[in-house]
């Protein structure tokens, strides 16, 4: 694609880094209206003291661990619970003043936060009975409004406050006491909105109003409707998973000191920890003090103290290399999670200003000749794809539900989750760290056409979500690869430029230089030279060709890209639960199992194949216009929709053994 001056301006290069930046030379817009040429968070990469830092909404994108961790120097106000709620399908709420603190919402209903409004007033969500498709809020599109009154402590007057979200689908606008805080686009990526100090009014009650919008994906949902696309959105139109709407994950207010550790970046290389503390000064005076970084217990390392100066309204990134000779190595067999802490103090013995801790693991990921290397040794990825949902909670799972869903990985002998094709709740990543489950991490770039890719090159949402994903999950040892896209229109100059933009962003952010791959729609992807690991979805013997076509295809892909490991990012078929019969008969559980086995056997026979991810762990909800007679449920899972009842393929997958060299 030709590079216009406008595109060069918006995609300027980070000085000295040689990688794509997002508007790194431009001031952020005060209010990015829908339809403008930039995604609304104004995400950008800036190089500060030699470290690439992700900014959004004019501030450093902070660590968003407040949903589970409580730093002693910070104050938190959880906003989970019952909120006032009303649909606004015509989009008239803002003009009617629904965001104002004096608006009378006594006539509104209520809704749990977090939850999906799809399940509101819906008792037929769980079954396979097509008569229950579309009940309750599941097919309500447009705006939904949330309102909540909270007490703001008086001692927050001298604090920096932000409103943090783990997810809001698809687009969210937030107001506090009638003051607009910002807009976020992208339904599965955590974000934080700075709170205007004048709007906060500490010591008084505050009204928070949030408007969430989900666009329609069909003109009707009776099976006859035509698809609707929003070319700026991600995903841009109908996909084959359910787009759960609303405040689907936790949110909270967080008050931090004016001089704060916004983010702690951690990366290990053998017995050395590269630690970088991103310090943000929200005050109107320069800060001079020191920062102490402690690598944590079980590391054999010692804390280091560094001087630090941060100008008023500025950012500094002091860095240290700490020896951690006693730190155990993190691996699936020994998932040793460590915790480092950064502490800021002022000069002349003044009290602690702020602390921030973060978990990490001592491990390395790299690519060798034809192989993926974990801690310098070849690893074979036996894994599967999964959707983050249950019949009782939609995409707002409880911890017990997560434990149950994720526990299947251990039963199945899997060591990989492919988080297709959106960001998971951070509980998943923490669980994977603690339980030694590797992750291929992705964002919402699924089924994006060439024209939509061209829009994203300028609009910047796909690159912004890539930057936020790599930044948010940077320290997690379980995350070993970044996945750039799933089955998007390939083999054009636009496609190549779009992939290169996202690849350059995650490479700039990630100190660990994790490999990048993607789930290509074709094994003949002309951009595979940009990938560290060649990844493609294949459905030989189901949608096209024969099962045995996989072997010559693998050989040819290997010949086309010698030295690069290959991964099957998706493969699977379907069966009706309880339909038993001949393995050659499509739709039987035995055929489902035999199909998997045929593809698995071909994959593990090739030493240059580094992994295989089955589609999919369990049946999942689909809003797209098919399977309406089954309540919108896919039946490609190893488990039924209940997450408990296995098909024959479940045990076949469990018995499958990876190559000897990977054990």
């Amino acid at each position: 694609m030709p590079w216009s001056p406008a595109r060069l301006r918006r995609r300027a290069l980070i000085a000295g880094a040689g990688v794509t930046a997002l508007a790194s030379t431009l001031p952020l817009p005060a209010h990015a209206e829908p339809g403008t040429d930039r995604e609304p968070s104004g995400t950008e990469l800036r190089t500060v003291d030699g470290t690439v830092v992700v900014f959004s909404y004019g501030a450093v994108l902070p660590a968003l661990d407040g949903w589970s961790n409580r730093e002693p120097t910070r104050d938190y106000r959880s906003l989970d619970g019952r909120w006032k709620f009303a649909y606004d399908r015509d989009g008239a709420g803002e003009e009617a003043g629904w965001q104002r603190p004096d608006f009378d919402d006594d006539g509104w209903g209520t809704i749990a936060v977090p939850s999906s409004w799809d399940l509101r007033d819906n008792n037929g969500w769980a079954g396979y009975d097509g008569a229950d498709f579309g009940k309750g809020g599941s097919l309500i599109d447009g705006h939904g409004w949330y309102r909540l009154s909270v007490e703001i402590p008086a001692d927050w007057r001298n604090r920096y406050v932000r409103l943090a979200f783990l997810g809001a689908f698809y687009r969210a606008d937030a107001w506090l006491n009638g003051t607009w805080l910002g807009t976020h686009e992208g339904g599965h990526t955590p974000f934080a909105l700075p709170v205007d100090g004048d709007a906060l009014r500490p010591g008084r009650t505050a009204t928070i109003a949030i408007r969430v919008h989900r666009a329609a994906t069909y003109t009707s949902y009776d099976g006859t409707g035509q698809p609707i696309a929003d070319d700026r959105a991600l995903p841009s139109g109908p996909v084959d998973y359910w787009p759960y709407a609303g405040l689907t994950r936790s949110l909270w207010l967080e008050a931090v000191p004016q001089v704060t550790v916004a983010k702690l970046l951690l990366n290990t290389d053998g017995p050395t920890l590269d630690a970088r503390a991103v310090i943000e000064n929200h005050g109107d005076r320069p800060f001079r003090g020191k920062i102490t970084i402690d690598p944590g217990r079980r590391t054999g390392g010692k804390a280091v103290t560094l001087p630090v100066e941060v100008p008023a309204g500025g950012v500094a990134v002091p860095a240290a290399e700490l020896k951690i000779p006693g730190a155990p190595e993190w691996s699936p067999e020994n998932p040793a999670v460590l915790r480092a802490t950064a502490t800021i103090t002022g000069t002349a013995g003044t009290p602690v200003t702020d602390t921030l801790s973060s978990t990490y693991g001592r491990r390395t990921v790299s690519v060798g000749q034809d192989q993926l290397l974990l801690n310098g040794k070849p690893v074979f990825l036996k894994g599967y794809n999964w959707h983050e949902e249950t019949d009782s909670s939609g995409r707002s799972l409880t911890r017990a539900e997560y434990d149950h869903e994720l526990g299947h990985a251990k039963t199945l002998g899997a060591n990989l989750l492919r988080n297709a094709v959106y960001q998971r709740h951070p509980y998943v990543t923490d669980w994977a760290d603690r339980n030694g489950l590797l992750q291929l991490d992705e964002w919402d770039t699924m089924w994006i056409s060439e024209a939509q890719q061209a829009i994203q090159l300028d609009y910047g949402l796909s690159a912004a979500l890539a930057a936020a994903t790599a930044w948010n999950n940077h320290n997690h040892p379980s995350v070993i690869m970044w996945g750039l896209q799933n089955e998007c229109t390939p083999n054009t100059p636009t496609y190549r430029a779009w992939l290169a933009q996202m690849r350059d962003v995650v490479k700039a952010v990630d100190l660990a230089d994790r490999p990048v791959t993607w789930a290509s729609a074709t094994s003949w992807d002309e951009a595979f030279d940009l990938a560290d690991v060649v990844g493609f979805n294949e459905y030989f013997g189901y949608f096209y060709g024969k099962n045995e076509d996989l072997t010559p295809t693998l050989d040819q892909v290997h010949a086309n890209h010698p030295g690069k490991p290959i991964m099957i990012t998706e493969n699977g078929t379907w069966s009706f639960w309880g339909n038993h019969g001949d393995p050659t008969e499509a739709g039987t559980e035995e055929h489902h199992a035999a199909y998997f086995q045929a593809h698995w056997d071909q994959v593990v026979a090739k030493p240059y194949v580094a992994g295989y991810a089955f589609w999919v762990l369990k049946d999942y909800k689909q809003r797209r216009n098919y399977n309406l007679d089954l309540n919108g449920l896919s039946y490609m899972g190893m488990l039924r929709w209940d997450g408990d009842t296995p098909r024959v393929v479940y045990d076949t997958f469990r018995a499958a053994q990876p190559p000897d060299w990977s054990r």
Side-chain angles (χ1 to χ4, degrees):
M1 165 171 285
W3 287 75
S4 69
R7 178 171 296 117
L8 282 170
R9 180 171 60 87
R10 281 189 289 270
R11 303 178 65 221
L13 297 181
I14 298 174
V19 295
T20 301
L22 308 180
S24 63
T25 61
L26 293 179
L28 293 177
H31 187 164
E33 295 285 358
T36 58
D37 68 348
R38 295 195 61 201
E39 53 82 25
S41 74
T43 296
E44 55 184 323
L45 307 185
R46 302 178 192 171
T47 301
V48 181
D49 298 334
T51 297
V52 174
V53 177
V54 178
F55 287 74
S56 64
Y57 306 102
V60 174
L61 178 59
L64 293 168
D65 297 331
W67 67 278
S68 60
N69 295 334
R70 294 290 187 266
E71 297 294 340
T73 55
R74 304 181 179 194
D75 297 308
Y76 304 86
R77 178 70 159 82
S78 173
L79 302 178
D80 291 356
R82 301 299 301 186
W83 287 56
K84 290 293 187 74
F85 178 79
Y87 293 115
D88 177 23
R89 301 178 75 172
D90 297 326
E94 184 175 3
E95 185 175 349
W98 291 12
Q99 75 279 14
R100 295 199 309 261
D102 59 352
F103 176 77
D104 183 1
D105 58 17
D106 284 347
W108 287 21
T110 65
I111 193 171
V113 173
S115 72
S116 308
W117 80 51
D118 305 79
L119 275 66
R120 191 168 185 256
D121 303 321
N122 190 337
N123 295 322
W125 187 254
Y128 285 82
D129 184 356
D132 289 322
F133 183 81
K135 289 187 175 179
S138 59
L139 299 181
I140 294 180
D141 298 314
H143 297 301
W145 281 78
Y146 298 74
R147 286 173 56 92
L148 183 70
S149 295
V150 297
E151 294 295 326
I152 304 298
D155 60 4
W156 283 22
R157 285 191 178 91
N158 297 316
R159 313 281 273 177
Y160 175 75
V161 180
R162 50 192 172 231
L163 176 59
F165 297 73
L166 291 186
F169 194 93
Y170 163 74
R171 185 181 182 105
D173 284 88
W175 290 262
L176 191 142
N177 289 327
T179 298
W180 180 82
L181 302 181
T183 301
H184 187 264
E185 185 176 359
H188 302 102
T189 302
F191 62 99
L193 298 174
V195 174
D196 184 280
D198 294 334
L200 192 64
R201 300 196 297 242
R204 300 170 63 182
T205 299
T207 298
I208 299 172
I210 300 172
R211 180 182 64 192
V212 181
H213 182 263
R214 175 176 65 186
T217 47
Y218 281 89
T219 54
S220 73
Y221 294 100
D222 62 0
T224 65
Q226 297 301 306
I228 300 171
D230 177 352
D231 287 340
R232 291 180 183 270
L234 293 175
S236 300
V239 290
D240 73 341
Y241 58 88
W242 198 279
Y244 291 90
L247 297 177
T248 56
R249 296 177 182 160
S250 294
L251 64 158
W252 66 96
L253 286 167
E254 182 172 347
V256 304
Q258 292 285 344
V259 179
T260 181
V261 186
K263 183 76 174 180
L264 185 58
L265 296 172
L266 305 168
N267 179 51
T268 58
D269 184 4
T272 302
L273 172 64
D274 181 356
R276 308 187 189 192
V278 182
I279 304 175
E280 200 167 18
N281 183 357
H282 296 283
D284 55 9
R285 296 180 180 179
F287 173 81
R288 291 180 178 83
K290 55 187 178 180
I291 184 165
T292 300
I293 303 176
D294 187 339
R297 297 186 306 108
R298 299 190 300 146
T299 64
K302 296 181 180 179
V304 299
T305 299
L306 306 168
V308 61
E309 295 186 11
V310 193
V315 177
V317 187
E321 290 193 355
L322 290 75
K323 297 300 181 183
I324 50 171
E329 200 169 63
W330 187 98
S331 69
E333 298 76 24
N334 180 42
V337 177
L338 308 168
R339 181 175 288 275
T341 303
T343 304
I344 309 175
T345 54
T347 56
T350 54
V352 169
T353 299
D354 194 25
T355 65
L356 180 66
S357 63
S358 178
T359 57
Y360 69 102
R362 177 183 168 182
R363 70 102 183 89
T364 59
V365 182
S366 58
V367 171
Q369 184 71 20
D370 295 338
Q371 293 177 321
L372 183 66
L373 305 178
L374 182 66
N375 298 323
K377 299 176 182 177
V379 60
F380 185 88
L381 305 176
K382 176 189 176 182
Y384 53 79
N385 296 262
W386 74 298
H387 277 300
E388 184 182 50
E389 60 180 345
T390 65
D391 57 8
S392 61
S393 300
R395 192 147 292 145
S396 305
L397 280 66
T398 66
R399 294 193 184 198
E401 287 175 317
Y402 277 121
D403 290 342
H404 178 77
E405 296 278 307
L406 295 166
H408 284 292
K410 292 185 175 181
T411 304
L412 289 164
N415 64 359
L416 174 77
L417 286 180
R418 179 187 167 215
N419 292 331
V421 285
Y422 48 85
Q423 269 288 284
R424 299 309 193 263
H425 191 290
Y427 184 82
V428 174
T429 308
D430 288 343
W431 192 98
D433 287 347
R434 298 191 309 269
N435 289 274
L437 188 59
L438 305 171
Q439 296 184 92
L440 170 55
D441 224 358
E442 304 183 18
W443 44 95
D444 299 71
T445 42
M446 177 177 178
W447 294 356
I448 310 300
S449 70
E450 180 189 8
Q452 293 158 352
Q453 293 162 21
I455 289 170
Q456 288 300 327
L457 281 168
D458 283 337
Y459 187 57
L461 181 58
S462 57
L465 298 184
T469 301
W471 183 258
N472 290 335
N473 288 342
H474 182 279
N475 297 346
H476 291 282
S478 60
V479 177
I480 62 162
M481 279 193 290
W482 308 115
L484 304 184
Q485 60 93 358
N486 181 85
E487 295 182 354
C488 298
T489 303
N491 297 344
T492 70
T494 301
Y495 172 72
R496 185 178 184 86
W498 179 59
L499 288 176
Q501 182 188 66
M502 290 187 290
R503 180 205 61 181
D504 290 351
V505 164
V506 297
K507 290 287 188 180
V509 170
D510 186 10
L511 298 177
D513 192 27
R514 291 170 177 87
V516 299
T517 188
W518 57 85
S520 182
T522 175
S523 46
W524 316 119
D525 194 317
E526 295 173 3
F528 276 151
D529 62 290
L530 299 176
D532 300 305
V533 175
V534 170
F536 59 90
N537 299 345
E538 63 89 2
Y539 288 92
F540 289 112
Y542 177 16
F543 291 127
Y544 46 78
K546 299 173 294 198
N547 288 343
E548 54 268 30
D549 292 338
L550 177 57
T551 291
T553 299
L554 289 171
D555 286 339
Q556 188 58 57
V557 172
H558 175 58
N560 292 344
H561 307 282
K564 292 198 176 194
I566 296 172
M567 180 176 176
I568 302 301
T569 41
E570 264 184 47
N571 167 250
T573 187
W574 59 276
S575 65
F576 291 110
W577 179 81
N579 180 27
H580 296 285
D582 192 292
T584 62
E585 182 184 351
T588 66
E589 290 196 35
E590 286 73 17
H591 175 77
H592 202 169
Y595 179 91
F596 158 72
Q597 191 69 60
H599 288 247
W600 175 265
D601 289 344
Q602 293 177 81
V603 163
V604 297
K606 300 298 181 181
Y608 50 77
V609 178
Y612 171 98
F614 182 77
W615 186 267
V616 58
L617 174 63
K618 71 174 191 178
D619 293 351
Y620 57 98
K621 274 282 190 173
Q622 301 171 299
R623 201 165 184 248
R624 204 164 186 249
N625 279 8
Y626 43 59
N627 293 350
L628 304 190
D629 56 340
L630 291 174
N631 204 6
L633 282 160
S634 161
Y635 36 93
M636 297 183 73
M638 290 187 276
L639 297 163
R640 276 170 60 89
W641 169 238
D642 60 13
D644 287 312
T645 309
R647 291 179 170 89
V648 171
V649 68
Y650 186 93
D651 289 330
T652 306
F653 183 95
R654 179 168 58 182
Q657 294 298 310
D660 288 343
W661 55 258
S662 66
R663 293 180 184 172

